[in-house]
Structures are given as structure tokens and as C-alpha cells.
Amino acid sequence: MKKIGVALLGLGTVGGGTYRILKANHDRIMENDGVDIEVRHIIERDVKKAEALGVDPAIVGCDIDKVVQDDKVQIVAEFFGGIEPAKTFLIKCLLAGKSIVTANKELFSKHWDELEAAAKKGGAGLYFEASCVGGVPIIRTLTDSMQGNNILSLMGIVNGTTNFILSKMADEGSDYAETLKEAQNLGYAEANPSADVDGFDSTYKLSILSSLAFRTKVPVPCIYREGIGKVSKDDIAYGKRFGYTLKLLAIAKQNGDKIEARVHPAFIPNDHPLASVKGSFNAVHIVGDNVGDIMLYGRGAGDLPTGSAIVSDIVYAATKAEPKYTSFDNRNDVSTEKFSTDFECKYYIRMSVADEAGVLAKISGVFAKNNVSISTMVQDVAADGAKLIFLLHKTKESAVNASLREIESLSCVKSIDGIIRVEE
Ligand code: NDP
Ligand code: HSE
């Protein structure tokens, strides 16, 4: 029986879930995959977390050199989060020939090139299934199951925390701050939840996924990012009136020789397959030129779902002899020219205006001047003025922005309260 020594870096949500799965499935993995996995080291400063999981305290410590120097450790799995010390620790392990498994999308998306260079030098493997979409096997789908395709687009819900918040706000009228707290308690949120709600986490994942899909590096700064901070209950309610559900979407498309990559809240029709993805569930819809549409769905966050992806990578690393590296130039300093920034979308716009004659004519005049076409308009009158909601036909982002700058300066317009893209 092949014996595989493993070190776990971090014993929080993901580390804890991984340890429990490895323990519970030890014999089954031996039987099915022919490897006897032994956890030989755990790097964790909070010994209480180890005690709670029944870990032998003798294997818990904070010294990475013990891991690096242990010849019986072949695989190091990291779930510290953040850049340092994770990056330094993993590079040391890779240079020593130990394969790494990581859930750390921030580190991976920003420093994949350095990790890969160290892996090549050390002859080690890099496995990162858990970095994107929790327990959903999307990385292996992109790397091992789509070779017969040119991937045309990828669109999905890739963050569990924000999907949990938006679902609860829409279905139960829950409060944003309270729901975020609940997501934190359930172990879905990042250490700093701004990573989730401001869309950073989704851009890290989209960078990894779209680089693999298009076989060209899509660096994080080349991805447009907008979080859910400005989303209001009013917009969710108006969206419902139009038959729309609000989601934080990650979208990447090949448009001729340009790539478009963006993360932002978007309305989708209620009968869109992504509209029924609720709570901490995630889903990604991929279009390949030969296979057509594929949709992957499952838990995007949490201890056991993410632990499931980590354990699958550990077994994969233990049983596949040859590590695979990217075939594309994996550098972050690629030319920004290949990324488009002036996206074409449908739009939902909500504004507060004075309830007086000529207002609609002035606003629609500005849209017309900028060649922006209105598909639907709703007016709600209240004592203090009127709310106007416009749905716009597909139009360039630059034209919408130019229109809104002008509309905002009209004396009859009090405020522009909501701007949300619509994807169909
Ligand atoms: P947690 O904060 O729950 O766990 C991190 C653990 O690592 C903590 O116990 C922390 O200890 C420990 N740790 C961090 N740095 C050190 C260090 N230098 N020395 C010793 N121990 C250290 O985070 P999660 O498990 O939620 O997330 C971990 C990683 O997995 C992140 O990269 C995250 O993005 C990713 N991920 C998380 C998912 C989830 O659902 N939670 C899903 C997919 C990926 P201390 O508390 O003392 O800082
Ligand atoms: N904070 C992340 C999320 C964890 O909510 O999706 C999973 O990557």
C-alpha cells in the first residue's frame, strides 16, 4: 500500500472540514484509491481547534521547517488564507518537492506564476480545486474534461456569502447586516468579509477560471469589479415586478480577439437557470463550441463541501504521478489591450424625480441623444415626488454613463438611486 504523508496548514473552517473528511474516509480511500493517507503535521496556533477535533497534540505546531524537512510528507494542503505567510510557506514546500493543495484563491490568483515556477523547480504539483466554487469540481472540468472545445463563455454565481445574503434579502426580506453575520457564523465568509461583499473574492475566482477556460492569463486587475454594497431592498422589489432575480455574477466571454471579464450584481429573469441557485449554493454555466452548454452546481462554501474538494485534490496528487502545469504564459504583466472594458448590457435604472410636467421628455431626450433605447418605463408617484424606473435595451456602458451624467445634472432629477445590469 502506498503511504502518503500530508501536512495541513490551518485548522479553521476548511482545515477542520478537511481533517474530518480525511479521518472518516481513511479506509475507504485506501480501498478505492490504494493510498494510505497519514496527517503528519498540522500548522495551527490555536491548539484548542486541534483538541476539539481529537487531533494528537504532538503533530500540531507553528514551525513550517518541520514540514519541509520531513521526507515522509509528500503533500501540503493550505487553508491559512491571505498572502503571507502562506506564500512563503508554500514556495518552501514546492522547492522541497512537496505538492501543494490550496483553497486560497487570493494567493493563487495573484501569485500563481511564482507558485508554478517553484513547483516546476521542485518537480512538484499544484492543486487548487477548492479555490473556486467550493465543493463543485469546476477546475478539473476545465483542465481535464473540456479539451475538445474552444470555451466561448463562462457565467456564474461563485461566492456563497453574497448569494446567501441576496437570497435571504429577496426571499425573506432579511436585513443585509444581520444576514452577513449569519454567513460569517456559518463559516462562509472570508476573514475580512469585504472580500465577499465588495466582489474581490469573485474576481479572484474569475481570474483563475477564465485563465483556464481561455488558456490565457486573465489577471485580477483586468476584471471589472462591483460588489453588493449598493444593492437596496427597493431594487430587489422592483426587480421582482419585472420578473427578475438579483445575483452577484462573475462573467467572462471571448468576443473576437478580446476578452471581457466582469463581476457585478445583475438582474436575471426568474426562469434563468442561475435564478434558482440560492443560499450558499453556487453554479457556473459554461459554453463550449462543441459540447454546447454545461452547468455545474453545488455548495460554494462551508467546511465539508470545501473539504471535499481538498480531499479530492489530495487523492489526485497522491495517485497521479506527473504534475501538470499551465500551457499558457502565466504572467500577470500581460497587455491590457486584449481586455475589453466598454461592455454591452441591458440596464435597469431607478431615479427620484420631481413630479411635474416635462420630466419624462427631458430624461428620454438625453437617452435618445446618446443613442440609448428604452424598453420599459414605470412611474410610482408619492407625496415627495416620483420614482422612475427604466429598463434599457442592450447598450454600451459608455453610452449609459454619458446619459446618466447628463440626467443627474437636470434640475428635475433629485438622485439616481439604482443602476443594475440585466443579463439574459
Ligand atoms: P479560517 O479563518 O476559518 O481558518 C484559517 C485558520 O488558519 C485559522 O485557524 C487560523 O488561525 C490559521 N492560521 C492562519 N495563519 C496562520 C499562521 N501563520 N500560523 C498558524 N495558523 C494560522 O478560514 P477558512 O478556513 O474559512 O478559509 C481558509 C482559506 O480557504 C481561505 O483562503 C479562504 O478563502 C479559503 N476558502 C474558504 C472557504 C469557506 O467556505 N470558508 C471555501 C473555499 C475556500 P487564527 O484563527 O489564529 O488566525
Ligand atoms: N467566502 C467564500 C464564499 C468562501 O463565500 O464563497 C468560498 O470560496
Side-chain angles (χ1 to χ4, degrees):
M1 177 73 60
K2 192 172 172 187
K3 240 185 144 48
I4 294 289
V6 170
L8 307 181
L9 312 192
L11 209 52
T13 304
V14 179
T18 299
Y19 184 80
R20 282 163 58 202
I21 295 176
L22 282 175
K23 203 168 151 191
N25 290 274
H26 175 267
D27 293 355
R28 196 208 315 244
I29 292 170
M30 273 211 307
E31 207 173 295
N32 293 344
D33 299 284
V35 281
D36 174 5
I37 295 173
E38 181 196 6
V39 177
R40 294 181 57 81
H41 301 269
I42 292 181
I43 303 284
E44 172 61 59
R45 46 191 165 216
D46 184 353
V47 183
K48 280 200 193 114
K49 285 182 185 161
E51 279 170 8
L53 287 162
V55 176
D56 174 2
I59 67 165
V60 184
C62 281
D63 185 359
I64 190 67
D65 291 330
K66 275 194 179 164
V67 174
V68 175
Q69 284 152 16
D70 184 345
D71 290 340
K72 290 189 174 148
V73 169
Q74 288 99 330
I75 300 169
V76 177
E78 182 269 328
F79 351 87
F80 277 176
I83 305 298
E84 289 295 357
K87 183 176 137 200
T88 302
F89 284 12
L90 292 185
I91 287 179
K92 270 189 175 191
C93 293
L94 288 165
L95 292 174
K98 300 179 194 306
S99 290
I100 63 153
V101 170
T102 184
N104 190 338
K105 53 272 175 164
E106 179 180 8
L107 171 64
F108 206 77
S109 60
K110 292 180 179 170
H111 299 284
W112 189 350
D113 52 347
E114 289 168 72
L115 294 169
E116 192 163 78
K120 283 180 182 167
K121 230 178 187 173
L126 284 176
Y127 302 91
F128 47 99
E129 184 63 80
S131 67
C132 298
V133 204
V136 178
I138 185 148
I139 301 290
R140 208 106 65 222
T141 299
L142 290 171
T143 55
D144 292 13
S145 309
M146 298 285 287
Q147 292 94 329
N149 289 272
N150 178 25
I151 297 179
L152 306 172
S153 69
L154 188 150
M155 173 160 115
I157 297 165
V158 298
N159 183 269
T161 303
T162 47
N163 202 45
F164 182 80
I165 295 172
L166 292 176
S167 305
K168 283 221 157 201
M169 282 175 77
D171 296 346
E172 297 165 33
S174 305
D175 175 73
Y176 175 93
E178 271 172 29
T179 318
L180 171 58
K181 237 183 215 135
E182 211 182 317
Q184 287 177 291
N185 292 338
L186 288 165
Y188 302 154
E190 297 301 306
N192 177 356
S194 154
D196 297 294
V197 297
D198 294 326
F200 293 102
D201 180 75
S202 296
T203 61
Y204 303 150
K205 291 166 178 166
L206 189 61
S207 165
I208 297 169
L209 296 176
S210 54
S211 297
L212 292 175
F214 303 145
R215 306 202 186 273
T216 184
K217 182 73 178 193
V218 180
V220 175
C222 296
I223 299 176
Y224 174 83
R225 176 188 56 80
E226 214 180 279
I228 63 165
K230 287 188 195 149
V231 163
S232 80
K233 282 185 179 174
D234 285 350
D235 290 323
I236 293 176
Y238 276 114
K240 278 186 183 169
R241 272 168 67 172
F242 294 116
Y244 288 145
T245 303
L246 190 69
K247 295 291 181 191
L248 181 69
L249 294 186
I251 300 168
K253 291 179 189 170
Q254 296 240 40
N255 285 332
D257 59 351
K258 294 262 188 191
I259 288 175
E260 168 177 334
R262 48 192 166 99
V263 166
H264 53 73
F267 279 127
I268 48 177
N270 290 339
D271 60 359
H272 190 288
L274 291 175
S276 56
V277 177
K278 305 231 173 177
S280 71
F281 280 91
N282 284 185
V284 182
H285 175 238
I286 305 169
V287 183
D289 60 351
N290 291 316
V291 70
D293 297 58
I294 289 181
M295 186 138 144
L296 298 172
Y297 168 83
R299 291 251 181 225
D303 54 357
L304 297 179
T306 314
S308 155
I310 293 282
V311 171
S312 138
D313 266 356
I314 290 175
V315 173
Y316 196 85
T319 52
K320 303 278 174 277
E322 282 298 311
K324 277 210 276 187
Y325 307 113
T326 51
S327 55
F328 53 84
D329 192 9
N330 193 2
R331 289 178 311 148
N332 283 321
D333 59 341
V334 294
S335 161
T336 54
E337 277 183 16
K338 68 175 170 190
F339 300 98
S340 52
T341 48
D342 195 8
F343 315 122
E344 221 179 11
C345 276
K346 292 186 174 183
Y347 274 86
Y348 155 101
I349 313 280
R350 175 169 64 93
M351 57 184 84
S352 302
V353 298
D355 186 17
E356 61 191 31
V359 170
L360 258 182
K362 282 182 198 156
I363 294 170
S364 53
V366 175
F367 279 135
K369 197 178 92 187
N370 287 285
N371 209 17
V372 172
S373 166
I374 298 165
S375 73
T376 308
M377 200 283 296
V378 165
Q379 173 170 268
D380 276 348
V381 179
D384 59 343
K387 297 253 175 259
L388 292 183
I389 292 90
F390 293 94
L391 292 182
L392 307 179
H393 282 297
K394 216 170 196 189
T395 182
K396 286 268 184 198
E397 183 135 336
S398 52
V400 175
N401 290 339
S403 307
L404 292 180
R405 272 195 303 272
E406 228 175 297
I407 289 169
E408 212 166 19
S409 68
L410 295 173
S411 58
C412 58
V413 173
K414 295 178 185 165
S415 53
I416 295 179
D417 307 316
I419 308 169
I420 298 176
R421 294 170 185 83
V422 180
E423 290 289 330
E424 285 179 351

